[in-house]
């Protein structure tokens, strides 16, 4: 009767009433999104104000980070067979965009504690075909770009900075010497506008050509933005309202359905089966741009930093046999809270049965595999992270009592699931 015992494990009162993912928008802000979708707006004025607020003369508002990268690649027109050295964890669409332009992604491993690549590892991968260095800041961490700026200059590489998960206010809009810096404001990102991206472009001529190309794209309609906002309302209920985990976790355990798969499918920004041009070669709708301008103007850094405080407190509660990737990063803001554990499946199962809505596939982040030919090294540390990571519900809205509860659970669970010594 294993099923009966599992059914008795978790009752609504046992649940930690938070999700590892969070929609960073209040109901008032979501109502404003719908209102803007129905209001006539001055598009050119909004774009000018948005790009001036971001950084005068270097900013481009676009539909997504993917759009910004694709625009850059269309303008630069790298030769077929160009190689890009990129950090070994990213979303699959980023190497897919590169490959669509005939560019070969070559992953470089990252340090477990800083989530940054070693300069010497990058240097070993550079060939005559290497033209681009693409570095991603993941999980809300950020590492100092200075050594990579110097490396890019030394080898005459274009330096692209992927900060899709790292927005923490207008004080940092990319390193001033990065050729391209990309930020996302998608559904589960900080200061979400339910879409949209910002690109910081160092070279004025390249920026002008990217803008000209972007302006040829069709503009997404007001109706499409309103539809996306309406679609994200049930997702926001599931992710943000405390009642949702108290219903979903016990129900999914009792009836044996996977509520997490539904949540992850709702988060996806683009149809993975769609053609490249159908996915993100559009201009953002005017209401989206208006909301993005509003979110940037009203960004509350003190409120944002509550997530950092909670993440640091959670770190102090974890048993020693659990590690948190990126804890030695130059900046750590805990956009997501990853832990790495041995016996991941057993630990995840125990957390879920005890009422913690921990996830494994909460984001689209994947390992960037080396090319199928040649003697490219395997990104060992990145693979270790992807193979052992669990995402915990730790963010600014989680009360200390629940952080302490999860800390106690993890101490018990990891002791019970640890491999037994053969004596």
């Amino acid at each position: 009767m294993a099923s009966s015992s599992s059914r008795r494990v978790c009752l609504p009162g046992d649940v930690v009433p938070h999700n590892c993912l969070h929609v960073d928008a209040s109901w008032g802000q979501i109502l404003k999104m719908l209102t803007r979708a129905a209001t006539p707006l001055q598009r050119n004025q909004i774009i000018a104000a948005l790009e001036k607020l971001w950084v005068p003369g270097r900013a481009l508002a676009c539909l997504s980070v993917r759009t910004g990268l694709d625009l850059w690649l269309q303008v630069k027109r790298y030769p077929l067979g160009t190689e890009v050295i990129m950090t070994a964890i990213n979303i699959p669409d980023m190497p897919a965009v590169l490959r669509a332009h005939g560019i070969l992604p070559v992953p470089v491993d990252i340090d477990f504690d800083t989530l940054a690549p070693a300069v010497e590892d990058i240097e070993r991968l550079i060939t005559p075909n290497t033209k681009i260095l693409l570095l991603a800041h993941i999980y809300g961490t950020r590492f100092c770009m200075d050594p990579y700026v110097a490396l890019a200059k030394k080898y005459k590489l274009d330096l692209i900075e992927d900060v899709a998960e790292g927005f923490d206010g207008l004080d940092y809009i990319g390193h001033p010497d990065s050729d391209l810096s990309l930020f996302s404001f998608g559904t589960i990102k900080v200061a979400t506008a339910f879409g949209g991206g910002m690109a910081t472009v160092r070279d004025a001529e390249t920026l002008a050509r990217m803008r000209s190309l972007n302006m040829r794209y069709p503009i997404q309609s007001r109706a499409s933005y309103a539809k996306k906002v309406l679609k994200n309302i049930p997702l926001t209920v599931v992710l943000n309202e405390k009642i949702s985990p108290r219903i979903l976790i016990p129900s999914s355990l009792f009836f044996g359905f996977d509520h997490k798969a539904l949540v992850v499918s709702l988060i996806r920004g683009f149809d993975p089966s769609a053609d490249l041009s159908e996915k993100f070669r559009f201009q953002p709708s005017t209401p989206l741009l208006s909301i993005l301008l509003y979110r940037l103007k009203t960004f509350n850094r003190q409120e944002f930093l509550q997530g950092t405080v909670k993440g640091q407190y959670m770190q102090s509660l974890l048993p020693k046999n659990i590690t948190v990737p990126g804890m030695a990063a130059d900046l750590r803001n805990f956009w997501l809270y990853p832990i790495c554990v041995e016996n991941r499946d057993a630990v995840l199962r125990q957390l879920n049965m005890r009422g913690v809505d921990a996830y494994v596939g909460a984001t689209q982040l994947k390992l960037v595999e080396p090319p199928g030919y040649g003697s490219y090294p395997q990104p060992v540390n990145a693979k270790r992270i992807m193979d052992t990571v669990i995402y915990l519900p730790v963010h600014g809205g989680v009360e200390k009592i629940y952080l302490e509860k999860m800390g106690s659970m993890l101490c018990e669970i990891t002791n019970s699931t640890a491999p037994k010594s053969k004596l």
Side-chain angles (χ1 to χ4, degrees), residues 18 31 43 74 104 149 173 220 224 243 274 309 328 373 423:
H18 295 279
L31 179 60
R43 181 178 181 85
Q74 289 184 76
L104 180 68
V149 168
I173 44 84
Q220 285 199 323
S224 68
I243 189 64
V309 172
Y373 59 88
L423 294 178

Side-chain angles (χ1 to χ4, degrees), residues 26 35 125 142-143 145 150 156 172 286 289 309 326 334 412:
S26 68
T35 302
L125 294 171
R142 198 163 68 232
F143 47 83
M145 290 293 294
K156 297 181 172 56
Y172 189 83
T286 305
L289 293 167
V309 172
F334 300 105
E412 295 174 15

